[in-house]
Amino acid sequence: VITHNQSVSLGLSYNCPNIFLLLATAPRGPGSFFHNYSMRGARVTLSYRFYPLKNTEAPKGFFFGPYFSYNFVKIAEKPAGKSYILVNYLNASMVTGYQVIHKHFSFEIFGGLGYRNNFEINYDSRLNQFSQSALPQILYLGNFKYVKIIAQINFGYAF
């Protein structure tokens, strides 16, 4: 909380294969994806929130403001030092949402629109060469390929 109606939020997380992905990739052992590749990365988020309603005190209630995130995952061949792909997600959005804090437990839901620049950097160790390309779109948006639609639900513990 910065003032009675403003706050800043910073988030950090570590990316690795989750349990559902590990269970879905069978068979395991020599020749499987996770035997031949490693996946590691991180995510950083930063948001500024303004609580415009007079009866609302930060960090509870209706809010809006900018939301930035950068997420990367390095998918590398094993052993280390060989070819890899670095997947990057860079997003800047304007969001609106609502947060509830009961005792120390927090629940929030927010959504919005913004800009995205998702790309990958490939390194081919055989050619000692880097290349960069845009990531394919799951949802075809035509001329709006840089439009980010965000929807998020968070649960947490407020200190």
Side-chain angles (χ1 to χ4, degrees):
V1 175
I2 297 172
T3 67
H4 76 282
N5 67 344
Q6 298 174 41
S7 70
V8 173
S9 174
L10 174 66
L12 301 169
S13 60
Y14 175 70
N15 295 331
C16 62
N18 65 44
I19 189 71
F20 300 112
L21 187 58
L22 290 172
L23 292 173
T25 56
R28 288 177 251 338
S32 73
F33 180 82
F34 290 106
H35 181 77
N36 296 322
Y37 293 90
S38 67
M39 293 176 62
R40 300 288 181 262
R43 178 178 179 173
V44 177
T45 62
L46 175 66
S47 67
Y48 171 82
R49 295 177 175 181
F50 179 69
Y51 299 80
L53 302 178
K54 293 199 184 295
N55 61 349
T56 304
E57 291 263 338
K60 300 175 186 175
F62 172 76
F63 64 86
F64 71 90
Y67 178 84
F68 304 97
S69 69
Y70 174 67
N71 192 359
F72 72 91
V73 175
K74 183 178 182 180
I75 303 169
E77 287 183 275
K78 292 181 184 177
K82 295 203 174 194
S83 299
Y84 64 85
I85 298 171
L86 185 61
V87 180
N88 298 271
Y89 295 94
L90 178 63
N91 301 292
S93 305
M94 182 58 80
V95 299
T96 185
Y98 195 85
Q99 182 172 12
V100 176
I101 297 177
H102 180 67
K103 296 187 179 177
H104 286 283
F105 294 95
S106 158
F107 169 80
E108 70 180 18
I109 184 168
F110 65 87
L113 289 172
Y115 166 81
R116 71 177 182 157
N117 185 4
N118 301 340
F119 61 94
E120 65 182 36
I121 298 172
N122 298 290
Y123 173 69
D124 188 333
S125 64
R126 293 171 301 210
L127 301 174
N128 193 24
Q129 180 178 341
F130 288 93
S131 63
Q132 182 174 330
S133 61
L135 290 172
Q137 297 179 34
I138 296 172
L139 174 64
Y140 180 71
L141 297 174
N143 292 333
F144 300 102
K145 66 182 178 180
Y146 294 107
V147 173
K148 170 72 175 180
I149 300 170
I150 185 171
Q152 193 165 325
I153 297 174
N154 295 322
F155 299 94
Y157 186 82
F159 295 97

